[in-house]
Amino acid sequence: MRTPLVFAVSAALVAGTALGLAPAAHAAESGTSVRFVDIAGEGGTVLKANVVTPAGFDGSARYPVIVLPTSWAMPQVEYLAQAKKLADSGYVVVSYNSRGFWQSGGEIETAGPKDVADASKVIDWTLAHTPADPSKVGMAGVSYGAGISLLAAAHDERIKAVAALSGWADLIESIYSGRTQHVQAAGLLGGAGYLTGRPGPELQRILGDFLSSNLAKEGEMIEWGRKRSAATYLDRINANGAAIMLGNAWGDTIFPPNQYASFYEKLQGPKRLEFRPGDHATAEATGLLGLPNDTWTSAHRWFDRYLKGTDNGIDREQPVQLKSRSTGGYEGYPDWKSVGANERKFALGGTQRIWANVDSGANGGIVLLSNLLDQLLRTPPVASVPLLPRAFAGVWQSERYGTPQKVRGTAKVHTTVTSTKESGTLVAYLYDVGPLGLGKLVSNAPYTFHGKTPGTPFGVDLELFSTAYDVPAGHRLALVVDTVDPLYIEHNPTGAQLTFSSPEADPSYVSVPLRAE
């Protein structure tokens, strides 16, 4: 695991340097005004920031304003290319380095109360020192900036519109889904934090307990995550009424799409949800370099509608917009539950027993890399399903489909498990299997249990990560279950065995959501 993590951290930092140079050059060539300032955040902590204002302003006009907190480990020039575009269209834009990173003061708080207070302090400063209109305040960001923006919208009613891109609404469901630590995601974030910032003692303790599987601290870790999740403050967000746009990638290995979809359904104000192929922040990456980018185009239209009041039609479009991993085409839906309106099940019949602690060869890939390749080349992780060792992997297959199966939304697994140990981890994979047995990964998800009675069956209901993938005619779907995946920490005691069965009174199955035709 060390090699892919080092690669991923290095790639992220190299990308950060590139993003810092290219946008700065773009802004310098524009007529917009760019200045670098210090802003006093919560407790007087200095936040390094830049301000981009429209060309030719003379102080007589007020402009809508957008505040952009930086992504995790990224420098303060991250958004300059987008800030220039926004300023050219009549916005004041203030971007600041989140506390604890790079030249900003303080320690990394991981979107804690001080980070939320910082956002309000930056808004205060912006209204006092720029030609910003106090009635037209928006926030946006990628990843960490997205999470902070959503949390700020719950605590500062001045915020009227948000574009939260590749972020999280539920931190626990993001990196601890299925009660399983997403180790590559946490390792990447922790490593990048140590390289570019100053993790505070609380973060160091939480990260240590998380990566060491300290179950005695599980409740404390969950509570820590809840305080940093916009879903916890949903009532406040709805009461404040900010217009919320959420964007993410199907294969986001840090903040998977399910938690965003769940949060979206509960929002009551103006809202929009967009999913595209890719991994964490890759759907927005070209826009940060100033290149054409669908995600950023939508974000600009969102702010034009809800800060400027421009009648551009975005509020009359289908609010859920999905881009298929297979075709690259966009599809619109009235809400998330309509995405996979048709469900088709295939049975997980019979009884299969597997040994734990051995990687069968089925896996979810490498954080950031595998799903980026799927985005660019449509090459997801693959496995030869007929060659998977049945001693270490349970395999069930559907019939061959006579017509294409357009998988949309969240596939669900229901099964009965009997373990020889009280704890364990299983990972479920859904594959598109061609005529030669080569399986292309459609989705996956982990599941961990503790405190079970050895030898006693128990039910398992597991949601796989949401996706949009077309299974060609003549192919079949296969569910593969094993116990080891490099993306996750496994909790299988030595010598453990897992048995999967399908009782007559409670049959096991996979429910596959399909697009309504």
Side-chain angles (χ1 to χ4, degrees), residues 4 54 95 127 157 287 438:
S95 175
L127 297 180
E157 60 185 15
L438 183 67

Side-chain angles (χ1 to χ4, degrees), residues 168-317:
W168 78 93
D170 189 325
L171 193 56
I172 302 303
E173 282 301 308
S174 294
I175 61 173
Y176 195 50
S177 70
R179 207 179 176 186
T180 309
Q181 297 100 321
H182 296 209
V183 64
Q184 286 191 17
L188 172 63
L189 293 173
Y194 276 99
L195 285 172
T196 63
R198 298 167 299 283
E202 184 180 37
L203 173 58
Q204 294 182 48
R205 184 180 71 255
I206 291 291
L207 189 61
D209 288 337
F210 185 83
L211 293 176
S212 65
S213 303
N214 186 354
L215 285 177
K217 297 291 186 177
E218 183 181 38
E220 179 182 336
M221 289 186 283
I222 288 175
E223 183 59 27
W224 180 87
R226 283 178 177 157
K227 289 180 180 178
R228 289 158 170 81
S229 298
T232 303
Y233 311 101
L234 181 68
D235 289 347
R236 294 189 194 179
I237 293 175
N238 285 334
N240 290 343
I244 306 291
M245 172 186 156
L246 306 172
N248 204 356
W250 292 120
D252 195 322
T253 44
I254 296 180
F255 304 128
N258 302 47
Q259 47 92 30
Y260 247 16
S262 176
F263 180 72
Y264 169 83
E265 283 289 85
K266 298 170 186 173
L267 289 171
Q268 296 175 358
K271 59 183 180 178
R272 185 176 177 92
L273 178 67
E274 300 186 353
F275 285 142
R276 295 177 174 85
D279 205 311
H280 183 64
T282 63
E284 302 87 24
T286 56
L288 293 176
L289 292 170
L291 301 174
N293 181 274
D294 288 356
T295 306
W296 282 104
T297 297
S298 289
H300 286 231
R301 294 179 65 219
W302 191 250
F303 287 127
D304 285 349
R305 176 66 186 89
Y306 289 103
L307 293 183
K308 286 185 176 180
T310 304
D311 185 11
N312 56 17
I314 195 169
D315 55 326
R316 295 188 295 276
E317 297 172 358

